[in-house]
Amino acid sequence: MDTSVICPRFESAISLLSQRWTGLIIYQLLSGPQRFSHLTEVIGISGRLLSERLKNLEAQGLVTRTVYPETPVRIEYELTEKGFSLKPVMDEIQNWSQVWVEPSETVETK
Amino acid sequence: MDTSVICPRFESAISLLSQRWTGLIIYQLLSGPQRFSHLTEVIGISGRLLSERLKNLEAQGLVTRTVYPETPVRIEYELTEKGFSLKPVMDEIQNWSQVWVEPSETVETK
DNA sequence: TATAATTGGTTACATAAAGTAACTAAAGAA
DNA sequence: TTCTTTAGTTACTTTATGTAACCAATTATA
């Protein structure tokens, strides 16, 4: 009967982080502005999905996109204040993973 | 070229939280042991997926399943220490959501 | 002795999201 | 004119999720 016990804002935040790749993109951008191709390589995401995710993140005000008309063109993605303020969340996930994730639970060993 | 810059433990942790519903289930269980039917109602997840998620969480040592052979049967799901130690993560998500998620970004208003 | 009610699921099928790989646009360099 | 580089997009396949009907165990009820 009780369908709305969970705080809608929390639900919204966790649905953001529940979307595949989004957390990793934000985490990666915490270390500074980066270009499209660098993100694909480091994260291991396809261009198709990275493009889609970055558009969403931009639309939600978490990321900005800046075009530098050099040659070849350079486009950098950077966290906004809203995006950067997820750092404490990422830090806690990092902390937890250091304590509780065993190497055997890691992708590489699978 | 640089395919493994991101810490594998962090990646593992975030892939856990990136799975749809998993974060909400853990968050909900932070308030104590709960039964299957209660979780479906509160979270708004189908039995099919809740069952699947709880099995995964159990397999990963985040949740325990306890059968009470009453009538009708009562089965309770509860966080382990490993599961409960995600509380700081959830707290930070909560904090962030209170500051940065506007009511208009919420599911209800959509 | 059926019949119903309750919990905790499972099954089968439709839809949506993600993975993969080939392709394109723009713009200067050879 | 053709090549290279970046930043994507398109078309197609595979996987994950949503939906609704169904099932097993156990006790209460008619």
Side-chain angles (χ1 to χ4, degrees):
Chain A
M1 314 270 132
D2 206 354
T3 345
S4 59
V5 196
I6 295 177
C7 167
R9 293 188 191 215
F10 179 83
E11 235 182 292
S12 173
I14 205 137
S15 88
L16 177 81
L17 297 173
S18 290
Q19 196 169 52
R20 195 158 195 189
W21 301 114
T22 301
L24 271 185
I25 292 168
I26 292 168
Y27 173 79
Q28 182 60 33
L29 288 177
L30 283 174
S31 56
Q34 287 161 60
R35 12 197 346 187
F36 192 90
S37 54
H38 184 241
L39 289 171
T40 63
E41 283 163 20
V42 170
I43 297 177
I45 185 182
S46 70
R48 181 173 103 52
L49 283 183
L50 180 59
S51 172
E52 193 179 301
R53 289 297 183 275
L54 288 171
K55 277 180 191 166
N56 285 344
L57 289 171
E58 219 191 327
Q60 289 172 94
L62 291 152
V63 162
T64 56
R65 177 181 188 270
T66 310
V67 180
Y68 298 91
E70 302 169 356
T71 188
V73 67
R74 177 167 58 104
I75 295 175
E76 287 199 335
Y77 292 92
E78 183 173 14
L79 292 178
T80 61
E81 192 196 346
K82 180 176 180 182
F84 194 79
S85 63
L86 280 165
K87 187 172 188 306
V89 172
M90 297 299 159
D91 287 347
E92 287 296 347
I93 296 174
Q94 180 91 296
N95 288 345
W96 185 84
S97 74
Q98 299 310 306
V99 176
W100 291 101
V101 177
E102 294 178 40
S104 64
E105 293 178 81
T106 272
V107 185
E108 291 161 334
T109 49
K110 272 181 187 163
Chain B
M1 317 271 133
D2 205 355
T3 344
S4 60
V5 195
I6 296 177
C7 166
R9 294 187 190 214
F10 179 84
E11 235 181 294
S12 173
I14 205 138
S15 87
L16 177 81
L17 297 174
S18 291
Q19 197 169 52
R20 194 158 196 190
W21 302 113
T22 300
L24 272 185
I25 293 168
I26 292 168
Y27 173 79
Q28 182 60 33
L29 288 176
L30 283 175
S31 57
Q34 287 161 62
R35 16 199 340 189
F36 192 90
S37 53
H38 184 241
L39 288 171
T40 63
E41 283 163 21
V42 170
I43 298 177
I45 184 181
S46 70
R48 181 172 105 47
L49 282 184
L50 180 59
S51 173
E52 193 181 302
R53 289 296 183 275
L54 288 171
K55 277 181 189 164
N56 285 344
L57 290 171
E58 219 190 327
Q60 289 171 93
L62 290 153
V63 162
T64 56
R65 177 181 188 271
T66 309
V67 180
Y68 298 91
E70 303 168 356
T71 184
V73 67
R74 177 166 58 104
I75 294 175
E76 288 199 336
Y77 292 92
E78 184 172 15
L79 291 178
T80 62
E81 193 196 348
K82 180 176 178 181
F84 195 79
S85 63
L86 280 166
K87 187 171 189 307
V89 173
M90 296 300 159
D91 287 347
E92 286 298 345
I93 295 174
Q94 180 94 300
N95 288 345
W96 185 85
S97 74
Q98 299 311 306
V99 176
W100 291 102
V101 177
E102 294 177 41
S104 66
E105 293 179 80
T106 272
V107 185
E108 293 162 330
T109 50
K110 272 180 188 161

